[in-house]
Amino acid sequence: MTVSTNRNMRAGAPSQEEIRRQNLGALLRFVHERGQISRAELTSELGLNRSTIGALTADLTEAGLVTEEAPRETGRAGRPSLVVRAMSESIYAYAVSVEVDQIRVARIGLGGVLLDQRSIPRPRGSIAGTIDPITTFIKQMAGEGRCVGAGIAVCGMVRREDGMVHLSPYLGGAVDEPIADSLRERLPELLPQVAVANVADLCALAEHTRGVAAGCDNFIYMYGDVGVGAGIVAGGHRVTGHGGYGGEVGHMVVNPVGRPCGCGSKGCWETEIGEHTLLKLAQSTDIGAQAVLAVVDRASRGDHIAQAAVRQVGDWLGFGVANLVNIFNPELVIFGGTLRDVYLASAAQVRSKLNSIALAATREHVRLRTPALGSDGALIGAAELAFQQLLNDPLA
Amino acid sequence: MTVSTNRNMRAGAPSQEEIRRQNLGALLRFVHERGQISRAELTSELGLNRSTIGALTADLTEAGLVTEEAPRETGRAGRPSLVVRAMSESIYAYAVSVEVDQIRVARIGLGGVLLDQRSIPRPRGSIAGTIDPITTFIKQMAGEGRCVGAGIAVCGMVRREDGMVHLSPYLGGAVDEPIADSLRERLPELLPQVAVANVADLCALAEHTRGVAAGCDNFIYMYGDVGVGAGIVAGGHRVTGHGGYGGEVGHMVVNPVGRPCGCGSKGCWETEIGEHTLLKLAQSTDIGAQAVLAVVDRASRGDHIAQAAVRQVGDWLGFGVANLVNIFNPELVIFGGTLRDVYLASAAQVRSKLNSIALAATREHVRLRTPALGSDGALIGAAELAFQQLLNDPLA
DNA sequence: TTGGGTTTGTTGTCGGCGATAACAATTCAG
DNA sequence: CTGAATTGTTATCGCCGACAACAAACCCAA
């Protein structure tokens, strides 16, 4: 169904079955995140005995999830440790990214390997016909082995309870779409499970797992397209909020005397730093990510109008980020989507605002970065979401 | 030292020792939170077998942490289940609350029972002489049994790393105080452990454990005195941030053209809804929590100046809360400290701002409440903090 | 090439923990 | 007072990881 995961039943009384599950999960998660890892490393990282690691890997091997093979070069004295590798070709998930101007579908193997990928442009304003191309792509890419399900990243609000997607008004009116359920009904035998989440959240998850935010437990991923959203990780946990609508920072009001926003309020952050505003300020007649890139490019070439536009947007970007930094005290802020280029072109403004608004204690330890996974973050995060269930209970 | 707790070593490979620790901890936590609970309830709540519960309680009884006794009235057929009660008189913690205008110290038994309490007014502007009265009170209240340590709630920023307290500029200049370490050095044999945290965070913890936020995993506790802070719980975890400075919402800029703030920025939320502004708007010459109460009282009696002041502050209060609601999508917002009375007097303004600014999806499921524990929240939360270590590993 | 040192996989045994089942204890309904 | 219902208690069992001993495989030096 939806996200699920959290086995946090507040009672938390582990019994013997669960200890096995958790250890298998921890081991498989290591293999998944590092692609391949030696048994010797596993013993030290997991803090378990050699014999236990042996038994666990044997179980996972029997289940067809991992393989063991002799290492290429040892380098050190002593018996070389077997390398445990994820069965990336036969254990896989589908990753779907429903973005503003395109739909992407990928098949991603355990370990985070991109096996196959397709995409199709997405006409703005049209909401119908989202499921069809996804279904087609998935059928086309069907491979050998075992599919654990699909993860979907959407540029809209996702209700945690049932995975209902509330698409942004920009995309042709406010529409509630049960994308996950629809997809599962279409391909019941192919997809044992379909999970949905917000793009920003999944980009954050991806960067957390295998990007710039690796090992970082307090960070914010700012994602911009037409609107603005944030994937927030605090204390190592995704901030989803009660209904699943956490991180909707785009409608934080930053300018009480600002322009009206599509949400009914006015002066929302989104109206100050969104694609629409930047393009309008830069007197661009085009729209979309390419248009944003063009404006940034014009600015870098000395176009004064574009420069002024970028500076103004950068000021508001820094303003909002400074507020978020005060609230969350993160270690890292990542600028993704179109905000990546906007940030790169206006880093001075952003830093300046941060210095004048954020408290010294919170500002001094913040790193501002761009994504390590580029635009693949959403897909990798979606796959990560689909793999969660397997990683929590490998032998289910 | 500082907060500690989180046994989240990312590897997370539980062995047999840990399963016992966790089960003992889970059982003791239930007893602690409910004061007393029957063994039958424990079996169903923890999902463990009767015999296991018996063994666990036997261990805890032997350690002197709990007692078992026959129930008063059964009401149902069948053998009456033994009631497990916390040894509140002999297992206790000290709770300290360093507030703007007073210092409070309490002795609180396991199960959350208030055993003893003292307080002393705190002259504003003076920072020295905080440790002395605390030390004296603790010595005076020393009781029989085992003390697990002390928890301190402070109206200032607490660095997680080492528990260093950065007191608000309002309290006599920015001063870094190692309160926890100082106290532990003073009473090394009495206090095996001293933990510090922010007042708002601890009020949140208290309300989460035994207040209006019981069973609620996404909520915000707004605490106001001279400044404004928030204790934020997201997904059941406290949002502390990377350095421990999470929740410093008071310096979120809400009014880009607002008044300068002590932090160097201007238009901070704190300058719009803080005690100082309310009193100035209401033309009050007094200061402190009593003065705030007086203004609210004047407003309720029809004083137009006070009413206007309360309305204006209420507007900004609602503005900021709406932004936080958009960011966190909480289930509950609690108004504590002086904000309690401000909120009660301006609930209409707060709701109105919420309706006009917050997204429908996030706003509709938010409950606005006042604390169930009143002004004792900070003390109870501080004790809760001190008990964490015991609850995580009862037989350490 | 050979032997020592080193590191790791494998095997068998052991202790600990919770589940299970059978029995004893206690209460209530009639 | 008897039977039904519920719970505490005890003994046994299965499972899991720790531990120790041994075997395997590598590096290095003579």
Side-chain angles (χ1 to χ4, degrees), chain A residues 44-92:
Chain A
S44 65
E45 294 271 19
L46 291 177
L48 293 172
N49 199 279
R50 285 205 297 263
S51 50
T52 308
I53 297 292
L56 293 172
T57 50
D59 281 9
L60 293 179
T61 304
E62 195 183 5
L65 298 173
V66 302
T67 335
E68 289 185 291
E69 50 190 34
R72 302 196 170 283
E73 292 178 0
T74 58
R76 278 190 316 180
R79 176 174 177 173
S81 189
L82 293 180
V83 170
V84 184
R85 225 167 39 81
M87 292 283 278
S88 308
E89 272 74 32
S90 57
I91 307 294
Y92 62 89

Side-chain angles (χ1 to χ4, degrees), chain B residues 38 40-41 73-81:
Chain B
S38 74
E41 281 179 273
E73 291 178 1
T74 59
R76 279 190 315 181
R79 176 174 176 172
S81 188

Side-chain angles (χ1 to χ4, degrees), chain A residues 215-234:
Chain A
C216 178
D217 279 348
N218 291 277
F219 72 96
I220 299 174
Y221 188 110
M222 293 295 313
Y223 182 89
D225 45 42
V226 173
V228 173
I232 300 169
V233 173

Side-chain angles (χ1 to χ4, degrees), chain B residues 16 19-20 23 48-52 74 76-80:
Chain B
Q16 294 155 233
I19 180 172
R20 194 54 183 280
N23 283 345
L48 294 173
N49 199 279
R50 287 206 296 265
S51 51
T52 307
T74 59
R76 279 190 315 181
R79 176 174 176 172

Side-chain angles (χ1 to χ4, degrees), chain B residues 59-329:
Chain B
D59 281 9
L60 294 178
T61 303
E62 195 184 4
L65 298 173
V66 303
T67 336
E68 291 185 290
E69 49 190 35
R72 302 196 171 284
E73 291 178 1
T74 59
R76 279 190 315 181
R79 176 174 176 172
S81 188
L82 293 180
V83 169
V84 183
R85 226 168 38 82
M87 292 284 278
S88 308
E89 273 73 31
S90 57
I91 307 293
Y92 61 90
Y94 290 103
V96 180
S97 177
V98 179
E99 300 170 16
V100 173
D101 44 16
Q102 66 173 341
I103 294 173
R104 298 162 69 191
V105 182
R107 195 160 68 89
I108 294 182
L110 187 67
V113 182
L114 190 91
L115 299 172
D116 199 352
Q117 184 178 8
R118 330 223 153 168
S119 68
I120 185 174
R122 181 159 182 276
R124 288 203 180 181
S126 134
I127 179 60
T130 302
I131 301 289
D132 284 340
I134 296 174
T135 312
T136 309
F137 282 156
I138 289 180
K139 277 184 191 163
Q140 287 175 358
M141 294 195 292
E144 298 295 314
R146 171 183 164 199
C147 170
V148 300
I152 310 179
V154 295
C155 52
M157 295 167 71
V158 180
R159 196 197 298 164
R160 180 171 46 181
E161 192 182 334
D162 54 1
M164 181 73 82
V165 175
H166 183 87
L167 284 161
S168 158
Y170 291 106
L171 310 179
V175 182
D176 283 342
E177 278 277 317
I179 292 187
D181 288 347
S182 302
L183 193 59
R184 211 161 62 110
E185 283 167 17
R186 293 281 193 95
L187 303 166
E189 73 292 336
L190 224 64
L191 303 177
Q193 159 226 17
V194 179
V196 207
N198 180 270
V199 195
D201 279 332
L202 291 184
C203 285
L205 178 58
E207 295 289 338
H208 192 195
T209 310
R210 33 179 48 106
V212 285
C216 178
D217 278 347
N218 291 277
F219 72 96
I220 298 174
Y221 189 110
M222 294 294 314
Y223 182 90
D225 45 43
V226 174
V228 172
I232 301 169
V233 172
H237 302 274
R238 294 209 333 259
V239 174
T240 62
H242 176 235
Y245 305 128
E248 283 297 327
V249 298
H251 298 285
M252 171 173 77
V253 176
V254 293
N255 188 358
V257 296
R259 281 178 289 256
C261 172
C263 75
S265 179
K266 63 178 183 178
C268 292
W269 197 15
E270 196 166 291
T271 65
E272 303 293 344
I273 67 171
E275 177 185 310
H276 188 65
T277 300
L278 176 69
L279 295 179
K280 194 172 169 189
L281 286 172
Q283 300 176 2
S284 164
T285 56
D286 216 355
I287 61 168
Q290 272 77 15
V292 172
L293 265 176
V295 169
V296 169
D297 192 54
R298 275 169 53 200
S300 72
R301 289 168 190 273
D303 179 320
H304 291 300
I305 294 178
Q307 281 178 345
V310 167
R311 268 202 298 271
Q312 179 174 331
V313 168
D315 273 338
W316 282 113
L317 181 59
F319 182 94
V321 166
N323 274 352
L324 290 180
V325 164
N326 270 339
I327 295 173
F328 285 102
N329 180 211

Side-chain angles (χ1 to χ4, degrees), chain A residues 94-99 102-106 118-120 122 127 129-142 150-154 177 179-180 182-184 186-187 190-191 194 196:
Chain A
Y94 289 103
V96 181
S97 178
V98 179
E99 301 171 17
Q102 67 174 339
I103 294 174
R104 300 159 70 191
V105 182
R118 328 225 156 168
S119 67
I120 186 175
R122 181 161 183 273
I127 179 61
T130 302
I131 301 290
D132 284 339
I134 296 175
T135 311
T136 309
F137 282 155
I138 288 181
K139 277 185 191 160
Q140 287 175 356
M141 295 196 291
I152 310 179
V154 295
E177 277 278 316
I179 292 188
S182 303
L183 194 58
R184 212 161 61 109
R186 293 280 192 96
L187 303 166
L190 224 63
L191 303 177
V194 179
V196 207

